[in-house]
Amino acid sequence: MKTLSTLLASAALMAAAHLPAHAFCGFYAGKADANLFNEASQVVMVRDGKRTVLSMLNDYKGPLSEFALVVPTPTTLQKGQVRVAEKLTFERLDAYSSPRLAEYHDNDPCQVNLNWGDDARRIYPMAMAMADRRSAAAAPSASENVRNKALGVTVEAQYTLEEYDIVSLSATQSDGLETWLTENGYKIPKGASAALKPYINQGMKFFVAKVNLKEQLKTGYTTLRPLQFAFESEKFMLPMRLGMLNAPPDKPQDLIVYMLSKEGRVESSNYRTVKLPANMNLPFFVKPKFQDFYKDMFNSEAKKENHRVVFTEYFWDMAWCDPCAANPLSPEELRKAGVFWLDGNADDSFSVMTAPPGASMKRIMPRPPGGGWGGGGQPVVLTRMHVRYTANTFPEDLMFTQTKDRQNWQTRYVVQQPYDSSVAQCSAKVGAMDCEAMCKPRVAQVLSAPTWEGQKQIYKDKDPIALQRDCVAACVVSKQNGIAAASRYYQTDLPTRLSTEKQTLAKLTGWKMSDIDAMPDARKFLGGDSYVAPTNNSGNSSENGTGSSLPPARPWWEQLFNSSKSAP
């Protein structure tokens, strides 16, 4: 029997603090500086049928005065289809789905299990059975329209949404779109025209957002808030190639996708999707270094796969978790994330999300707590995917498919804390146990225990002195067994387990065994502790009460050198 507690390993820390530059779904275009790097990116996608709600978070740290974002979209995003989301949504999804470390604790191996007399003291069978029943932006001028047409660019929509000025564009030529962005004050990254061309050929639109400084000051926020889009499209995809323009050409980028779906696990349909090594035991002393472990383990796995796969980090039914790194999202939090089918009418809910401001909409009544999903469960499953890639290894945008797989899975690792004692301490503890005193109440209970049909009458008509002698003899054997169990644990079982766990750690991370052995507490339990005989009830190490001798205590030098023979 072992007890369990859960340690949290926030992927926000691992993603933002430890991982390299992250990719984004679009590229940044800044008037003052084209060498802007997108350091961290997280995306929330909600998908059911042809409907998608996409939320994007970034940690852009450049001047807000000249920030702009360009993202390919399947359709023109009109006012009402875009809203400013909450960063808290990403933080909650991250905390809930983070790779985690579970911690177990070994019980004391030094157990004296005195069972003498138990068969006479058992509860009558029937008694045992009974006990078990228990505002808008300015429109383009006429001259601007003429110029736009000459460049093959059409402004499909233009509006202000809180701190963002938004333009939705269509284009017929990549050079023209690049020229339009440049003429409108955006110094875009090199190679933008070539990167834009595939999207134009597919007939996709372009969402362009920049910061309205006047409106941004009103918000009181010092960082950019996430943007959320709702649209319908046959394409279940995430545009990511444009984000490569903001990263060094040979440096891998990272993207974390939180996919909320209705039926089952989501995976990539155009890249191989694999699960990370998980549910493995690690040495107990790696606990303070878990984030370092996960960073290096992920680095190692990504290199093994040549940055060509999509890693699944988590898949779970959002009604529960085990172990829980954080509580599942509430219905209200899921709605803010974009989940539109919670209230039982996905059509009306999605219409509300995509309706222009001021439109008259049917009122949707939220379901009562626990209403209609089998005892309060949410009809939502979360797939967390982590992609590390370069421009060469991921030449296509991410395409997805929803599977029927509902088997919960997580990147979970286990540390099993050894019981902090020794054979010598066990021997001292066991030696202090008084078998005579332990046996007196047992003998009394045996003699007064009620009898019933079928009970073994092994104690009937026996002399109390003989029963006391039999119990003491059993107690001495139990004490010997307790010390023997502690000896096995500290000298064999624990060192063998730690050796295996160290090898697993080295294999997963690429760490050298010498570096692992140099970690704090790595050599704490090496198996050199030796058998020490318990003392008898008088305090002397001698007879065990049945005529046989206990193994003698070994000299200190044998314990030190772990030798069975003394030097000549």
Side-chain angles (χ1 to χ4, degrees):
M1 177 68 71
K2 302 176 180 68
T3 56
L4 167 67
S5 62
T6 302
L7 306 175
L8 310 186
S10 172
L13 291 174
M14 287 182 282
H18 293 293
L19 297 178
H22 285 58
F24 202 59
C25 296
F27 63 73
Y28 293 122
K31 295 178 183 176
D33 187 1
N35 297 315
L36 303 176
F37 292 101
N38 189 12
E39 295 183 0
S41 176
Q42 300 178 64
V43 174
V44 178
M45 286 191 75
V46 179
R47 178 77 174 187
D48 186 45
K50 299 178 183 179
R51 294 167 175 166
T52 298
V53 180
L54 174 64
S55 305
M56 299 185 298
L57 175 70
N58 68 89
D59 69 345
Y60 167 77
K61 295 179 176 64
L64 297 182
S65 58
E66 305 303 342
F67 167 87
L69 174 67
V70 181
V71 180
T73 58
T75 62
T76 298
L77 299 180
Q78 302 289 349
K79 193 170 187 178
Q81 290 180 262
V82 184
R83 67 180 178 182
V84 177
E86 296 181 2
K87 186 178 180 181
L88 180 60
T89 297
F90 292 84
E91 293 171 350
R92 288 284 288 114
L93 286 168
D94 175 36
Y96 174 77
S97 63
S98 286
R100 63 210 58 202
L101 184 68
E103 180 182 32
Y104 293 83
H105 295 264
D106 288 348
N107 286 334
D108 186 355
C110 183
Q111 298 290 333
V112 175
N113 299 313
L114 178 57
N115 300 319
W116 185 92
D118 284 354
D119 48 354
R121 300 185 300 141
R122 288 195 183 109
I123 302 173
Y124 182 68
M126 181 59 71
M128 184 184 299
M130 292 184 65
D132 285 342
R133 293 178 210 163
R134 314 207 247 271
S135 59
S141 65
S143 60
E144 288 175 334
N145 283 330
V146 171
R147 178 57 177 163
N148 293 346
K149 186 175 180 179
L151 295 173
V153 175
T154 301
V155 177
E156 305 281 0
Q158 187 171 2
Y159 46 91
T160 294
L161 177 68
E162 301 192 41
E163 67 264 41
Y164 291 102
D165 286 336
I166 295 171
V167 180
S168 189
L169 308 171
S170 61
T172 59
Q173 51 181 311
S174 57
D175 291 341
L177 180 55
E178 181 178 8
T179 301
W180 186 94
L181 291 168
T182 302
E183 289 185 355
N184 281 268
Y186 306 112
K187 187 177 179 182
I188 63 177
K190 294 179 180 180
S193 178
L196 293 167
K197 187 174 182 178
Y199 299 105
I200 294 175
N201 292 341
Q202 295 176 52
M204 296 185 72
K205 313 301 181 181
F206 295 90
F207 174 90
V208 181
K210 63 187 297 185
V211 177
N212 184 313
L213 293 178
K214 184 177 179 181
E215 295 297 324
Q216 198 274 336
L217 287 174
K218 296 178 183 178
T219 68
Y221 291 97
T222 57
T223 58
L224 294 176
R225 293 187 289 173
L227 283 167
Q228 186 177 85
F229 320 133
F231 55 86
E232 293 190 50
S233 174
E234 294 279 358
K235 298 177 180 178
F236 189 10
M237 56 89 72
L238 185 64
M240 56 187 288
R241 293 198 308 271
L242 289 184
M244 300 176 190
L245 296 176
N246 287 103
D250 299 323
K251 189 173 184 179
Q253 305 176 67
D254 284 76
L255 175 67
I256 295 176
V257 181
Y258 308 99
M259 188 72 70
L260 297 169
S261 56
K262 195 174 181 180
E263 301 299 334
R265 182 178 56 82
V266 173
E267 64 184 21
S268 173
S269 60
N270 60 333
Y271 293 101
R272 192 161 57 92
T273 303
V274 300
K275 292 177 179 177
L276 286 161
N279 298 308
M280 296 181 176
N281 280 60
L282 305 175
F284 71 96
F285 53 83
V286 85
K287 174 183 171 181
K289 297 287 187 180
F290 180 63
Q291 291 184 4
D292 293 334
F293 155 77
Y294 192 80
K295 167 195 166 186
D296 289 347
M297 184 278 295
F298 190 89
N299 286 344
S300 177
E301 292 300 314
K303 289 178 181 177
K304 287 179 185 176
E305 299 290 352
N306 297 314
H307 303 134
R308 295 180 182 276
V309 303
V310 176
F311 289 107
T312 299
E313 285 188 316
Y314 190 84
F315 172 73
W316 212 268
D317 185 329
M318 292 208 71
W320 66 296
C321 48
D322 180 27
C324 291
N327 290 330
L329 275 65
S330 68
E332 183 58 29
E333 288 175 315
L334 289 170
R335 290 187 190 97
K336 290 180 179 179
V339 179
F340 51 86
W341 58 81
L342 290 181
D343 299 311
N345 193 326
D347 294 338
D348 290 345
S349 297
F350 192 78
S351 296
V352 169
M353 296 185 68
T354 57
S360 177
M361 300 300 300
K362 177 181 177 181
R363 185 182 179 189
I364 300 173
M365 298 298 293
R367 292 191 179 191
W373 296 310
Q378 307 289 2
V380 183
V381 291
L382 169 63
T383 307
R384 175 181 175 133
M385 290 169 282
H386 190 162
V387 188
R388 179 168 293 176
Y389 64 98
T390 68
N392 292 329
T393 61
F394 268 64
E396 300 176 355
D397 288 321
L398 270 175
M399 307 296 293
F400 299 107
T401 185
Q402 184 174 189
T403 72
K404 296 296 183 181
D405 180 15
R406 302 266 315 184
Q407 182 65 47
N408 292 325
W409 186 87
Q410 58 189 323
T411 44
R412 170 182 172 271
Y413 306 90
V414 176
V415 292
Q416 195 165 320
Q417 292 288 352
Y419 191 84
D420 195 358
S421 185
S422 66
V423 179
Q425 288 174 302
C426 176
S427 180
K429 182 178 87 169
V430 169
M433 294 180 179
D434 188 339
C435 284
E436 291 285 349
M438 292 168 65
C439 283
K440 284 180 180 179
R442 285 181 168 265
V443 171
Q445 289 175 2
V446 162
L447 292 173
S448 62
T451 60
W452 58 86
E453 185 179 354
Q455 179 187 12
K456 292 182 179 180
Q457 303 298 311
I458 57 176
Y459 306 105
K460 186 178 179 180
D461 300 329
K462 282 206 172 185
D463 179 65
I465 296 177
L467 291 176
Q468 177 74 6
R469 185 171 59 248
D470 291 345
C471 179
V472 169
C475 178
V476 171
V477 172
S478 298
K479 292 169 70 173
Q480 291 175 319
N481 291 340
I483 296 178
S487 297
R488 264 194 321 274
Y489 175 78
Y490 289 109
Q491 295 176 8
T492 304
D493 297 348
L494 181 56
T496 299
R497 186 181 86 196
L498 289 173
S499 176
T500 300
E501 291 170 348
K502 289 178 183 180
Q503 292 172 26
T504 299
L505 180 61
K507 181 179 179 181
L508 290 177
T509 61
W511 295 352
K512 295 179 180 178
M513 192 62 71
S514 58
D515 293 335
I516 293 175
D517 284 333
M519 294 175 69
D521 290 333
R523 303 179 66 84
K524 186 173 182 179
F525 301 97
L526 291 180
D529 205 352
S530 303
Y531 185 96
V532 179
T535 57
N536 63 14
N537 292 330
S538 64
N540 298 318
S541 177
S542 57
E543 297 298 312
N544 62 11
T546 61
S548 63
S549 298
L550 296 173
R554 297 173 63 192
W556 65 270
W557 61 84
E558 288 188 12
Q559 297 184 46
L560 176 64
F561 298 144
N562 198 25
S563 171
S564 60
K565 296 182 179 180
S566 58

